[in-house]
Amino acid sequence: MTVFELALRSMRQNVKHYYLYFFALIFSMSLFFVFSSLQHDQQVQSMLESSDKFLVAFQSAAILLIVIIVIFTISSNQIFLRRRSREIGLYQLIGLSKGWVARYLIIENVLLGFAALIAGIICGALVSRLFVLILMKLLRLDGMPAIDFSLPAAFDTAIVFVLVVVITSVQMIIMIYRSTLLNLFQADQQPDLSSRPPSILTAIYAVLGIVLLGYGYELSGRMVDEQLVLNALLVLASTITGTYILFRVTITGCFFWLRKRKNGHLGLYNSLSLAPLMHRMKGNANSLTLITILSALTITLVTMAYSVYYSAEQDTRMAMPYDFSFENRQLDAQSFTTELEREGINFSYLPIEAVRTTGVILNPLDKSSHIERNLLWLPAEQLLGTGKKLSVPPHGEAVEYNASAHTAFDDSDFSKRYPTKIELESNGQTDSYPLKELVVENLVNSDISGNQLLVSENTLREIQDSMSSTAGYERVQLDTYRISDKEELALASSLYQKYNPDEYSTSDFYSQYKQSLEISGLLIFIAAFLGLAFLASTGSILYFKQMTEAEQEKQSFRTLRQLGFDEKMIMKGIAQKQVVVFLLPLFIGMLHSFFAIKAASFIIISDITIPTVISIGAYTSIYVLFALFTLDYYRKIVRNAML
């Protein structure tokens, strides 16, 4: 019998031992096929105005997805090899060389992988249209996706398949040549339970893990400054290292401390939950650290992406308070008004007379800074006609409005910068105007040049009189429009485009909102897709590991059943263990993501509370589902322990 024939026979007779690894390969291949088919889908690309950005975003995400797939398959293959270690040892025990065993496993791996590739492409093709439809709904595009098969996506998936097979084959070869017969026959047994109690050095390491996490959290709250990149690297390094020490040393030490307090009398439930965790925590530290960091990354990415999408309309409205505006183009404004009336579009019109000058806004944090900039002075009394809730500043005072203030790489604590003063120079004299505060929104559309300053009409006339003869002075006539019915915005925007002086500019609310929706919709789709990959990978790794541990503990369950303990009592202790195994890395990951989201919230104008709650809730629900699957598998093992 040849090696190839033996591999086929072994696969037929040991299907139940292969299904975990086979599932991992099918899932990986189908996931990448779906993503690649979206990348090559011409129908979706034609619906987006910025297809170049679309492709770049998908290509970047595809690289990250490949990394996820490689990590997932390596972890699954490691568990798979551990479960088959006795079989590998038997081959060597009967006289077969390590080279023969390596060829046998590689042939088997290629056959399994090829079958998984075909199954993954078929599964991916069946659900790819569903993901296209989801993307279209996120972008609020009409129509139904066409049903077709993407050959380029199948080719890309085949390349990833070759990469995965090569990596897993190398992993198998390393395992065979590094393992001794004794290691192979003991690999699937429970670990030695004679763990040593923690020492003074262990206690120091345990405290160090908590200190590193605390330092990372503290630094994340002040990382946005001129050393942003360095601070971000320090936060990542301290958080990852602290998490590893936490699982490897700190939590294990806490378990030992708890056992010591109970004088070794753990009882049934703690013996089924605390004892296995205590003795396996060090061995599982790498995987639990990886799962925690991936969970934190996933929750952060999905939350930030959903926040951008969730607040797209509100953020755009803060930057573009008027649907349309014209600056010093009265003839265009009249023509546009005529066209709106001809089309029967209801609108409100408000002209605003403003002044633009040059001046200096003093920075209390840097008194040597005197940067001259354009200042747009807007009369409060006229703006009140739009229904804005404004307070008219006292005579001689101003209030600055800037919707993008929080997104600037600057000191976000505005109380340190305000109040301050505005200095205007005219005829050799310097006039100062108190600038009381900064409001994070715009008074007029963001395409209007100049820092937007709200003043009373008396103050505006005073500035006109003093600055009219200076360079940079300009009277500004703004013609602003608001459309009453949102359904008519698209038509009004198409009419407005012919008056747009720059064909590449999006200077009206609807165009800006549509562009923001496309970008944020694409962002949340990619983040959610990668989040699904992260979640399925980490959840499956934990599930596979717990299945292996359940098989190892089968004899213990049989002994407990023989002593008279029923299934319900045993499952209660197992449930306590699964709460720690699944929810502990999830909780720590959520804690990491909380500080990460807080650190990155400067790029989001609107409140991110609701997106954060929804993202964490969805992630937790799916993670709990994996825990329930694990409990169901344990229940079957316990129920059949006496058979």
PDB file of all heavy atoms in Angstrom, residues 353-379:
ATOM      1  N   GLU A 353     -24.963  88.930   5.579  1.00  0.00           N
ATOM      2  CA  GLU A 353     -23.895  89.882   5.251  1.00  0.00           C
ATOM      3  C   GLU A 353     -22.817  89.776   6.310  1.00  0.00           C
ATOM      4  O   GLU A 353     -23.047  90.083   7.483  1.00  0.00           O
ATOM      5  CB  GLU A 353     -24.451  91.305   5.195  1.00  0.00           C
ATOM      6  CG  GLU A 353     -25.447  91.517   4.064  1.00  0.00           C
ATOM      7  CD  GLU A 353     -25.948  92.952   4.003  1.00  0.00           C
ATOM      8  OE1 GLU A 353     -25.494  93.762   4.857  1.00  0.00           O
ATOM      9  OE2 GLU A 353     -26.767  93.260   3.138  1.00  0.00           O
ATOM     10  N   ALA A 354     -21.641  89.314   5.893  1.00  0.00           N
ATOM     11  CA  ALA A 354     -20.533  89.084   6.811  1.00  0.00           C
ATOM     12  C   ALA A 354     -19.303  89.863   6.347  1.00  0.00           C
ATOM     13  O   ALA A 354     -19.319  90.526   5.313  1.00  0.00           O
ATOM     14  CB  ALA A 354     -20.221  87.593   6.903  1.00  0.00           C
ATOM     15  N   VAL A 355     -18.234  89.759   7.126  1.00  0.00           N
ATOM     16  CA  VAL A 355     -16.974  90.455   6.824  1.00  0.00           C
ATOM     17  C   VAL A 355     -15.832  89.467   7.030  1.00  0.00           C
ATOM     18  O   VAL A 355     -15.831  88.697   8.002  1.00  0.00           O
ATOM     19  CB  VAL A 355     -16.786  91.685   7.747  1.00  0.00           C
ATOM     20  CG1 VAL A 355     -15.372  92.241   7.631  1.00  0.00           C
ATOM     21  CG2 VAL A 355     -17.802  92.758   7.405  1.00  0.00           C
ATOM     22  N   ARG A 356     -14.869  89.493   6.102  1.00  0.00           N
ATOM     23  CA  ARG A 356     -13.668  88.667   6.250  1.00  0.00           C
ATOM     24  C   ARG A 356     -12.453  89.580   6.395  1.00  0.00           C
ATOM     25  O   ARG A 356     -12.261  90.505   5.603  1.00  0.00           O
ATOM     26  CB  ARG A 356     -13.497  87.741   5.047  1.00  0.00           C
ATOM     27  CG  ARG A 356     -12.307  86.785   5.195  1.00  0.00           C
ATOM     28  CD  ARG A 356     -12.148  85.865   3.986  1.00  0.00           C
ATOM     29  NE  ARG A 356     -13.219  84.892   3.902  1.00  0.00           N
ATOM     30  CZ  ARG A 356     -14.090  84.812   2.907  1.00  0.00           C
ATOM     31  NH1 ARG A 356     -14.019  85.671   1.894  1.00  0.00           N
ATOM     32  NH2 ARG A 356     -15.035  83.901   2.917  1.00  0.00           N
ATOM     33  N   THR A 357     -11.657  89.311   7.415  1.00  0.00           N
ATOM     34  CA  THR A 357     -10.444  90.089   7.651  1.00  0.00           C
ATOM     35  C   THR A 357      -9.298  89.130   7.970  1.00  0.00           C
ATOM     36  O   THR A 357      -9.497  87.925   8.115  1.00  0.00           O
ATOM     37  CB  THR A 357     -10.614  91.058   8.837  1.00  0.00           C
ATOM     38  OG1 THR A 357     -10.736  90.294  10.054  1.00  0.00           O
ATOM     39  CG2 THR A 357     -11.830  91.950   8.671  1.00  0.00           C
ATOM     40  N   THR A 358      -8.122  89.682   8.084  1.00  0.00           N
ATOM     41  CA  THR A 358      -6.986  88.910   8.602  1.00  0.00           C
ATOM     42  C   THR A 358      -6.738  89.345  10.041  1.00  0.00           C
ATOM     43  O   THR A 358      -6.967  90.508  10.400  1.00  0.00           O
ATOM     44  CB  THR A 358      -5.720  89.143   7.763  1.00  0.00           C
ATOM     45  OG1 THR A 358      -5.401  90.534   7.748  1.00  0.00           O
ATOM     46  CG2 THR A 358      -5.919  88.651   6.336  1.00  0.00           C
ATOM     47  N   GLY A 359      -6.300  88.410  10.864  1.00  0.00           N
ATOM     48  CA  GLY A 359      -6.054  88.728  12.262  1.00  0.00           C
ATOM     49  C   GLY A 359      -5.351  87.575  12.953  1.00  0.00           C
ATOM     50  O   GLY A 359      -5.060  86.535  12.348  1.00  0.00           O
ATOM     51  N   VAL A 360      -5.088  87.747  14.245  1.00  0.00           N
ATOM     52  CA  VAL A 360      -4.367  86.761  15.041  1.00  0.00           C
ATOM     53  C   VAL A 360      -5.229  86.347  16.230  1.00  0.00           C
ATOM     54  O   VAL A 360      -5.722  87.213  16.962  1.00  0.00           O
ATOM     55  CB  VAL A 360      -3.013  87.309  15.538  1.00  0.00           C
ATOM     56  CG1 VAL A 360      -2.330  86.294  16.456  1.00  0.00           C
ATOM     57  CG2 VAL A 360      -2.116  87.667  14.371  1.00  0.00           C
ATOM     58  N   ILE A 361      -5.423  85.023  16.382  1.00  0.00           N
ATOM     59  CA  ILE A 361      -6.070  84.493  17.578  1.00  0.00           C
ATOM     60  C   ILE A 361      -4.961  84.023  18.521  1.00  0.00           C
ATOM     61  O   ILE A 361      -4.221  83.092  18.210  1.00  0.00           O
ATOM     62  CB  ILE A 361      -7.016  83.325  17.236  1.00  0.00           C
ATOM     63  CG1 ILE A 361      -8.128  83.800  16.300  1.00  0.00           C
ATOM     64  CG2 ILE A 361      -7.624  82.739  18.510  1.00  0.00           C
ATOM     65  CD1 ILE A 361      -9.090  82.701  15.879  1.00  0.00           C
ATOM     66  N   LEU A 362      -4.819  84.693  19.649  1.00  0.00           N
ATOM     67  CA  LEU A 362      -3.727  84.392  20.571  1.00  0.00           C
ATOM     68  C   LEU A 362      -3.913  83.009  21.193  1.00  0.00           C
ATOM     69  O   LEU A 362      -5.041  82.591  21.493  1.00  0.00           O
ATOM     70  CB  LEU A 362      -3.656  85.444  21.674  1.00  0.00           C
ATOM     71  CG  LEU A 362      -3.405  86.888  21.210  1.00  0.00           C
ATOM     72  CD1 LEU A 362      -3.356  87.828  22.412  1.00  0.00           C
ATOM     73  CD2 LEU A 362      -2.114  86.985  20.411  1.00  0.00           C
ATOM     74  N   ASN A 363      -2.801  82.325  21.375  1.00  0.00           N
ATOM     75  CA  ASN A 363      -2.791  81.002  21.995  1.00  0.00           C
ATOM     76  C   ASN A 363      -2.163  81.109  23.377  1.00  0.00           C
ATOM     77  O   ASN A 363      -0.954  81.294  23.495  1.00  0.00           O
ATOM     78  CB  ASN A 363      -1.998  80.020  21.132  1.00  0.00           C
ATOM     79  CG  ASN A 363      -2.024  78.610  21.689  1.00  0.00           C
ATOM     80  OD1 ASN A 363      -2.646  78.339  22.713  1.00  0.00           O
ATOM     81  ND2 ASN A 363      -1.343  77.699  21.006  1.00  0.00           N
ATOM     82  N   PRO A 364      -2.959  80.987  24.449  1.00  0.00           N
ATOM     83  CA  PRO A 364      -2.394  81.109  25.808  1.00  0.00           C
ATOM     84  C   PRO A 364      -1.344  80.048  26.118  1.00  0.00           C
ATOM     85  O   PRO A 364      -0.502  80.254  26.986  1.00  0.00           O
ATOM     86  CB  PRO A 364      -3.623  80.946  26.713  1.00  0.00           C
ATOM     87  CG  PRO A 364      -4.791  81.252  25.844  1.00  0.00           C
ATOM     88  CD  PRO A 364      -4.409  80.807  24.481  1.00  0.00           C
ATOM     89  N   LEU A 365      -1.380  78.916  25.404  1.00  0.00           N
ATOM     90  CA  LEU A 365      -0.408  77.858  25.651  1.00  0.00           C
ATOM     91  C   LEU A 365       0.926  78.129  24.973  1.00  0.00           C
ATOM     92  O   LEU A 365       1.932  77.503  25.308  1.00  0.00           O
ATOM     93  CB  LEU A 365      -0.968  76.508  25.166  1.00  0.00           C
ATOM     94  CG  LEU A 365      -2.288  76.061  25.789  1.00  0.00           C
ATOM     95  CD1 LEU A 365      -2.752  74.745  25.181  1.00  0.00           C
ATOM     96  CD2 LEU A 365      -2.140  75.919  27.302  1.00  0.00           C
ATOM     97  N   ASP A 366       0.931  79.048  24.003  1.00  0.00           N
ATOM     98  CA  ASP A 366       2.156  79.407  23.294  1.00  0.00           C
ATOM     99  C   ASP A 366       2.086  80.903  22.962  1.00  0.00           C
ATOM    100  O   ASP A 366       1.618  81.296  21.901  1.00  0.00           O
ATOM    101  CB  ASP A 366       2.296  78.572  22.021  1.00  0.00           C
ATOM    102  CG  ASP A 366       3.627  78.824  21.303  1.00  0.00           C
ATOM    103  OD1 ASP A 366       4.459  79.575  21.859  1.00  0.00           O
ATOM    104  OD2 ASP A 366       3.812  78.282  20.201  1.00  0.00           O
ATOM    105  N   LYS A 367       2.542  81.717  23.909  1.00  0.00           N
ATOM    106  CA  LYS A 367       2.410  83.165  23.768  1.00  0.00           C
ATOM    107  C   LYS A 367       3.272  83.734  22.649  1.00  0.00           C
ATOM    108  O   LYS A 367       3.051  84.869  22.212  1.00  0.00           O
ATOM    109  CB  LYS A 367       2.763  83.842  25.090  1.00  0.00           C
ATOM    110  CG  LYS A 367       1.798  83.477  26.213  1.00  0.00           C
ATOM    111  CD  LYS A 367       2.108  84.226  27.502  1.00  0.00           C
ATOM    112  CE  LYS A 367       1.109  83.867  28.599  1.00  0.00           C
ATOM    113  NZ  LYS A 367       1.379  84.564  29.871  1.00  0.00           N
ATOM    114  N   SER A 368       4.261  82.968  22.179  1.00  0.00           N
ATOM    115  CA  SER A 368       5.102  83.451  21.084  1.00  0.00           C
ATOM    116  C   SER A 368       4.465  83.215  19.723  1.00  0.00           C
ATOM    117  O   SER A 368       4.967  83.697  18.705  1.00  0.00           O
ATOM    118  CB  SER A 368       6.467  82.750  21.132  1.00  0.00           C
ATOM    119  OG  SER A 368       6.323  81.347  20.954  1.00  0.00           O
ATOM    120  N   SER A 369       3.362  82.465  19.692  1.00  0.00           N
ATOM    121  CA  SER A 369       2.707  82.153  18.423  1.00  0.00           C
ATOM    122  C   SER A 369       1.803  83.312  18.003  1.00  0.00           C
ATOM    123  O   SER A 369       0.866  83.677  18.718  1.00  0.00           O
ATOM    124  CB  SER A 369       1.884  80.867  18.573  1.00  0.00           C
ATOM    125  OG  SER A 369       1.150  80.604  17.408  1.00  0.00           O
ATOM    126  N   HIS A 370       2.102  83.895  16.841  1.00  0.00           N
ATOM    127  CA  HIS A 370       1.277  84.956  16.260  1.00  0.00           C
ATOM    128  C   HIS A 370       1.035  84.642  14.791  1.00  0.00           C
ATOM    129  O   HIS A 370       1.615  85.265  13.895  1.00  0.00           O
ATOM    130  CB  HIS A 370       1.948  86.329  16.417  1.00  0.00           C
ATOM    131  CG  HIS A 370       1.824  86.903  17.783  1.00  0.00           C
ATOM    132  ND1 HIS A 370       2.524  86.411  18.865  1.00  0.00           N
ATOM    133  CD2 HIS A 370       1.047  87.926  18.264  1.00  0.00           C
ATOM    134  CE1 HIS A 370       2.220  87.107  19.950  1.00  0.00           C
ATOM    135  NE2 HIS A 370       1.323  88.028  19.614  1.00  0.00           N
ATOM    136  N   ILE A 371       0.203  83.615  14.550  1.00  0.00           N
ATOM    137  CA  ILE A 371      -0.077  83.186  13.179  1.00  0.00           C
ATOM    138  C   ILE A 371      -1.275  83.961  12.654  1.00  0.00           C
ATOM    139  O   ILE A 371      -2.364  83.909  13.219  1.00  0.00           O
ATOM    140  CB  ILE A 371      -0.354  81.672  13.130  1.00  0.00           C
ATOM    141  CG1 ILE A 371       0.846  80.893  13.678  1.00  0.00           C
ATOM    142  CG2 ILE A 371      -0.669  81.234  11.704  1.00  0.00           C
ATOM    143  CD1 ILE A 371       0.622  79.404  13.768  1.00  0.00           C
ATOM    144  N   GLU A 372      -1.063  84.687  11.570  1.00  0.00           N
ATOM    145  CA  GLU A 372      -2.154  85.467  10.975  1.00  0.00           C
ATOM    146  C   GLU A 372      -3.023  84.544  10.119  1.00  0.00           C
ATOM    147  O   GLU A 372      -2.515  83.715   9.369  1.00  0.00           O
ATOM    148  CB  GLU A 372      -1.570  86.599  10.122  1.00  0.00           C
ATOM    149  CG  GLU A 372      -2.591  87.669   9.764  1.00  0.00           C
ATOM    150  CD  GLU A 372      -1.941  88.890   9.149  1.00  0.00           C
ATOM    151  OE1 GLU A 372      -1.355  88.736   8.070  1.00  0.00           O
ATOM    152  OE2 GLU A 372      -2.017  89.974   9.754  1.00  0.00           O
ATOM    153  N   ARG A 373      -4.316  84.686  10.259  1.00  0.00           N
ATOM    154  CA  ARG A 373      -5.244  83.820   9.532  1.00  0.00           C
ATOM    155  C   ARG A 373      -6.471  84.609   9.105  1.00  0.00           C
ATOM    156  O   ARG A 373      -6.722  85.714   9.590  1.00  0.00           O
ATOM    157  CB  ARG A 373      -5.648  82.644  10.416  1.00  0.00           C
ATOM    158  CG  ARG A 373      -6.388  83.053  11.687  1.00  0.00           C
ATOM    159  CD  ARG A 373      -6.539  81.891  12.653  1.00  0.00           C
ATOM    160  NE  ARG A 373      -5.258  81.538  13.280  1.00  0.00           N
ATOM    161  CZ  ARG A 373      -5.093  80.458  14.023  1.00  0.00           C
ATOM    162  NH1 ARG A 373      -6.101  79.616  14.213  1.00  0.00           N
ATOM    163  NH2 ARG A 373      -3.926  80.207  14.577  1.00  0.00           N
ATOM    164  N   ASN A 374      -7.237  84.001   8.185  1.00  0.00           N
ATOM    165  CA  ASN A 374      -8.481  84.627   7.752  1.00  0.00           C
ATOM    166  C   ASN A 374      -9.552  84.450   8.828  1.00  0.00           C
ATOM    167  O   ASN A 374      -9.721  83.364   9.376  1.00  0.00           O
ATOM    168  CB  ASN A 374      -8.980  84.002   6.444  1.00  0.00           C
ATOM    169  CG  ASN A 374      -8.154  84.422   5.255  1.00  0.00           C
ATOM    170  OD1 ASN A 374      -7.595  85.517   5.236  1.00  0.00           O
ATOM    171  ND2 ASN A 374      -8.056  83.554   4.250  1.00  0.00           N
ATOM    172  N   LEU A 375     -10.256  85.542   9.110  1.00  0.00           N
ATOM    173  CA  LEU A 375     -11.318  85.523  10.112  1.00  0.00           C
ATOM    174  C   LEU A 375     -12.628  85.928   9.450  1.00  0.00           C
ATOM    175  O   LEU A 375     -12.695  86.960   8.770  1.00  0.00           O
ATOM    176  CB  LEU A 375     -10.988  86.479  11.259  1.00  0.00           C
ATOM    177  CG  LEU A 375      -9.632  86.276  11.959  1.00  0.00           C
ATOM    178  CD1 LEU A 375      -9.409  87.366  13.010  1.00  0.00           C
ATOM    179  CD2 LEU A 375      -9.542  84.896  12.587  1.00  0.00           C
ATOM    180  N   LEU A 376     -13.670  85.117   9.635  1.00  0.00           N
ATOM    181  CA  LEU A 376     -14.985  85.400   9.079  1.00  0.00           C
ATOM    182  C   LEU A 376     -15.899  85.843  10.208  1.00  0.00           C
ATOM    183  O   LEU A 376     -16.245  85.050  11.089  1.00  0.00           O
ATOM    184  CB  LEU A 376     -15.548  84.146   8.393  1.00  0.00           C
ATOM    185  CG  LEU A 376     -16.895  84.309   7.694  1.00  0.00           C
ATOM    186  CD1 LEU A 376     -16.773  85.259   6.502  1.00  0.00           C
ATOM    187  CD2 LEU A 376     -17.441  82.956   7.236  1.00  0.00           C
ATOM    188  N   TRP A 377     -16.289  87.142  10.177  1.00  0.00           N
ATOM    189  CA  TRP A 377     -17.121  87.719  11.238  1.00  0.00           C
ATOM    190  C   TRP A 377     -18.578  87.657  10.806  1.00  0.00           C
ATOM    191  O   TRP A 377     -18.961  88.190   9.768  1.00  0.00           O
ATOM    192  CB  TRP A 377     -16.698  89.165  11.495  1.00  0.00           C
ATOM    193  CG  TRP A 377     -15.237  89.314  11.838  1.00  0.00           C
ATOM    194  CD1 TRP A 377     -14.197  89.430  10.973  1.00  0.00           C
ATOM    195  CD2 TRP A 377     -14.686  89.375  13.155  1.00  0.00           C
ATOM    196  NE1 TRP A 377     -13.023  89.547  11.653  1.00  0.00           N
ATOM    197  CE2 TRP A 377     -13.290  89.519  13.003  1.00  0.00           C
ATOM    198  CE3 TRP A 377     -15.213  89.317  14.443  1.00  0.00           C
ATOM    199  CZ2 TRP A 377     -12.427  89.612  14.089  1.00  0.00           C
ATOM    200  CZ3 TRP A 377     -14.357  89.415  15.515  1.00  0.00           C
ATOM    201  CH2 TRP A 377     -12.983  89.562  15.348  1.00  0.00           C
ATOM    202  N   LEU A 378     -19.402  86.987  11.647  1.00  0.00           N
ATOM    203  CA  LEU A 378     -20.799  86.735  11.298  1.00  0.00           C
ATOM    204  C   LEU A 378     -21.726  87.394  12.325  1.00  0.00           C
ATOM    205  O   LEU A 378     -21.521  87.241  13.534  1.00  0.00           O
ATOM    206  CB  LEU A 378     -21.079  85.234  11.262  1.00  0.00           C
ATOM    207  CG  LEU A 378     -20.285  84.462  10.192  1.00  0.00           C
ATOM    208  CD1 LEU A 378     -20.209  82.990  10.530  1.00  0.00           C
ATOM    209  CD2 LEU A 378     -20.942  84.654   8.832  1.00  0.00           C
ATOM    210  N   PRO A 379     -22.766  88.125  11.857  1.00  0.00           N
ATOM    211  CA  PRO A 379     -23.678  88.824  12.781  1.00  0.00           C
ATOM    212  C   PRO A 379     -24.705  87.872  13.396  1.00  0.00           C
ATOM    213  O   PRO A 379     -25.410  87.148  12.684  1.00  0.00           O
ATOM    214  CB  PRO A 379     -24.351  89.860  11.880  1.00  0.00           C
ATOM    215  CG  PRO A 379     -24.304  89.255  10.515  1.00  0.00           C
ATOM    216  CD  PRO A 379     -23.062  88.422  10.443  1.00  0.00           C
TER     217      PRO A 379
END
